[in-house]
mmCIF file of all heavy atoms in Angstrom:
data_model
loop_
_atom_site.group_PDB
_atom_site.id
_atom_site.type_symbol
_atom_site.label_atom_id
_atom_site.label_comp_id
_atom_site.label_asym_id
_atom_site.label_seq_id
_atom_site.Cartn_x
_atom_site.Cartn_y
_atom_site.Cartn_z
ATOM 1 N N THR A 83 2.077 10.861 -1.038
ATOM 2 C CA THR A 83 3.334 11.454 -1.493
ATOM 3 C C THR A 83 3.083 12.869 -1.982
ATOM 4 O O THR A 83 1.988 13.176 -2.482
ATOM 5 C CB THR A 83 3.990 10.631 -2.600
ATOM 6 O OG1 THR A 83 3.099 10.553 -3.723
ATOM 7 C CG2 THR A 83 4.302 9.218 -2.119
ATOM 8 N N GLN A 84 4.094 13.727 -1.837
ATOM 9 C CA GLN A 84 3.986 15.113 -2.273
ATOM 10 C C GLN A 84 5.237 15.504 -3.044
ATOM 11 O O GLN A 84 6.332 15.026 -2.757
ATOM 12 C CB GLN A 84 3.820 16.054 -1.069
ATOM 13 C CG GLN A 84 2.512 15.858 -0.326
ATOM 14 C CD GLN A 84 2.329 16.881 0.775
ATOM 15 O OE1 GLN A 84 2.210 16.539 1.949
ATOM 16 N NE2 GLN A 84 2.269 18.160 0.390
ATOM 17 N N SER A 85 5.036 16.401 -4.004
ATOM 18 C CA SER A 85 6.181 16.921 -4.758
ATOM 19 C C SER A 85 5.950 18.381 -5.113
ATOM 20 O O SER A 85 4.793 18.797 -5.279
ATOM 21 C CB SER A 85 6.393 16.093 -6.041
ATOM 22 O OG SER A 85 5.260 16.204 -6.890
ATOM 23 N N PRO A 86 7.019 19.165 -5.202
ATOM 24 C CA PRO A 86 8.391 18.799 -4.814
ATOM 25 C C PRO A 86 8.553 18.812 -3.301
ATOM 26 O O PRO A 86 7.620 19.155 -2.578
ATOM 27 C CB PRO A 86 9.211 19.920 -5.462
ATOM 28 C CG PRO A 86 8.296 21.109 -5.415
ATOM 29 C CD PRO A 86 6.905 20.561 -5.652
ATOM 30 N N THR A 87 9.732 18.479 -2.834
ATOM 31 C CA THR A 87 10.016 18.491 -1.401
ATOM 32 C C THR A 87 10.242 19.908 -0.917
ATOM 33 O O THR A 87 9.759 20.303 0.149
ATOM 34 C CB THR A 87 11.267 17.642 -1.102
ATOM 35 O OG1 THR A 87 11.093 16.356 -1.662
ATOM 36 C CG2 THR A 87 11.484 17.521 0.392
ATOM 37 N N HIS A 88 11.011 20.640 -1.698
ATOM 38 C CA HIS A 88 11.315 22.038 -1.380
ATOM 39 C C HIS A 88 11.140 22.873 -2.637
ATOM 40 O O HIS A 88 11.313 22.376 -3.751
ATOM 41 C CB HIS A 88 12.761 22.203 -0.883
ATOM 42 C CG HIS A 88 13.060 21.507 0.384
ATOM 43 N ND1 HIS A 88 13.456 20.194 0.446
ATOM 44 C CD2 HIS A 88 13.018 21.949 1.662
ATOM 45 C CE1 HIS A 88 13.661 19.850 1.717
ATOM 46 N NE2 HIS A 88 13.397 20.883 2.466
ATOM 47 N N LEU A 89 10.832 24.163 -2.413
ATOM 48 C CA LEU A 89 10.596 25.059 -3.536
ATOM 49 C C LEU A 89 10.916 26.480 -3.091
ATOM 50 O O LEU A 89 10.524 26.880 -1.985
ATOM 51 C CB LEU A 89 9.122 24.960 -3.943
ATOM 52 C CG LEU A 89 8.655 25.350 -5.323
ATOM 53 C CD1 LEU A 89 9.465 24.669 -6.406
ATOM 54 C CD2 LEU A 89 7.184 24.994 -5.458
ATOM 55 N N THR A 98 2.657 25.624 -8.116
ATOM 56 C CA THR A 98 1.773 24.449 -8.108
ATOM 57 C C THR A 98 2.436 23.334 -7.315
ATOM 58 O O THR A 98 3.568 22.958 -7.584
ATOM 59 C CB THR A 98 1.489 23.947 -9.530
ATOM 60 O OG1 THR A 98 0.795 24.962 -10.269
ATOM 61 C CG2 THR A 98 0.613 22.689 -9.491
ATOM 62 N N LEU A 99 1.721 22.850 -6.315
ATOM 63 C CA LEU A 99 2.184 21.738 -5.494
ATOM 64 C C LEU A 99 1.319 20.527 -5.788
ATOM 65 O O LEU A 99 0.119 20.658 -6.042
ATOM 66 C CB LEU A 99 2.084 22.100 -4.010
ATOM 67 C CG LEU A 99 2.690 23.441 -3.575
ATOM 68 C CD1 LEU A 99 2.543 23.627 -2.078
ATOM 69 C CD2 LEU A 99 4.133 23.544 -4.009
ATOM 70 N N ARG A 100 1.916 19.342 -5.720
ATOM 71 C CA ARG A 100 1.214 18.125 -6.100
ATOM 72 C C ARG A 100 1.162 17.105 -4.979
ATOM 73 O O ARG A 100 2.057 17.042 -4.145
ATOM 74 C CB ARG A 100 1.865 17.519 -7.347
ATOM 75 C CG ARG A 100 1.738 18.428 -8.568
ATOM 76 C CD ARG A 100 2.405 17.880 -9.806
ATOM 77 N NE ARG A 100 2.120 18.716 -10.956
ATOM 78 C CZ ARG A 100 2.782 19.829 -11.260
ATOM 79 N NH1 ARG A 100 3.793 20.236 -10.491
ATOM 80 N NH2 ARG A 100 2.444 20.553 -12.326
ATOM 81 N N CYS A 101 0.096 16.306 -5.009
ATOM 82 C CA CYS A 101 -0.136 15.317 -3.960
ATOM 83 C C CYS A 101 -0.745 14.069 -4.589
ATOM 84 O O CYS A 101 -1.703 14.167 -5.375
ATOM 85 C CB CYS A 101 -1.086 15.893 -2.923
ATOM 86 S SG CYS A 101 -1.690 14.725 -1.687
ATOM 87 N N SER A 102 -0.223 12.917 -4.228
ATOM 88 C CA SER A 102 -0.823 11.651 -4.627
ATOM 89 C C SER A 102 -1.423 10.992 -3.403
ATOM 90 O O SER A 102 -0.731 10.801 -2.393
ATOM 91 C CB SER A 102 0.223 10.728 -5.237
ATOM 92 O OG SER A 102 0.639 11.207 -6.483
ATOM 93 N N TRP A 112 -5.854 19.931 2.052
ATOM 94 C CA TRP A 112 -4.586 20.669 2.048
ATOM 95 C C TRP A 112 -4.524 21.564 3.281
ATOM 96 O O TRP A 112 -5.525 22.185 3.677
ATOM 97 C CB TRP A 112 -4.471 21.533 0.791
ATOM 98 C CG TRP A 112 -4.154 20.763 -0.456
ATOM 99 C CD1 TRP A 112 -5.034 20.232 -1.352
ATOM 100 C CD2 TRP A 112 -2.842 20.453 -0.958
ATOM 101 N NE1 TRP A 112 -4.361 19.609 -2.385
ATOM 102 C CE2 TRP A 112 -3.018 19.731 -2.166
ATOM 103 C CE3 TRP A 112 -1.541 20.722 -0.530
ATOM 104 C CZ2 TRP A 112 -1.935 19.274 -2.933
ATOM 105 C CZ3 TRP A 112 -0.480 20.254 -1.294
ATOM 106 C CH2 TRP A 112 -0.685 19.547 -2.480
ATOM 107 N N SER A 152 -4.045 15.340 -6.489
ATOM 108 C CA SER A 152 -4.518 16.712 -6.323
ATOM 109 C C SER A 152 -3.393 17.710 -6.528
ATOM 110 O O SER A 152 -2.209 17.365 -6.412
ATOM 111 C CB SER A 152 -5.089 16.865 -4.900
ATOM 112 O OG SER A 152 -5.496 18.203 -4.639
ATOM 113 N N PRO A 185 4.488 14.008 3.575
ATOM 114 C CA PRO A 185 5.626 14.627 4.256
ATOM 115 C C PRO A 185 5.696 16.142 4.068
ATOM 116 O O PRO A 185 6.436 16.816 4.778
ATOM 117 C CB PRO A 185 6.832 13.957 3.600
ATOM 118 C CG PRO A 185 6.334 13.577 2.243
ATOM 119 C CD PRO A 185 4.894 13.216 2.417
ATOM 120 N N GLY A 186 4.904 16.672 3.131
ATOM 121 C CA GLY A 186 4.862 18.115 2.956
ATOM 122 C C GLY A 186 5.798 18.659 1.902
ATOM 123 O O GLY A 186 6.748 17.989 1.488
ATOM 124 N N THR A 187 5.478 19.865 1.440
ATOM 125 C CA THR A 187 6.329 20.638 0.550
ATOM 126 C C THR A 187 6.688 21.938 1.262
ATOM 127 O O THR A 187 5.812 22.669 1.701
ATOM 128 C CB THR A 187 5.617 20.985 -0.774
ATOM 129 O OG1 THR A 187 5.397 19.802 -1.526
ATOM 130 C CG2 THR A 187 6.453 21.966 -1.608
#
Side-chain angles (χ1 to χ4, degrees):
Chain A
T83 60
Q84 294 185 240
S85 63
T87 307
H88 296 87
L89 202 52
T98 297
L99 310 182
R100 295 179 174 82
C101 171
S102 290
W112 285 91
S152 177
T187 293

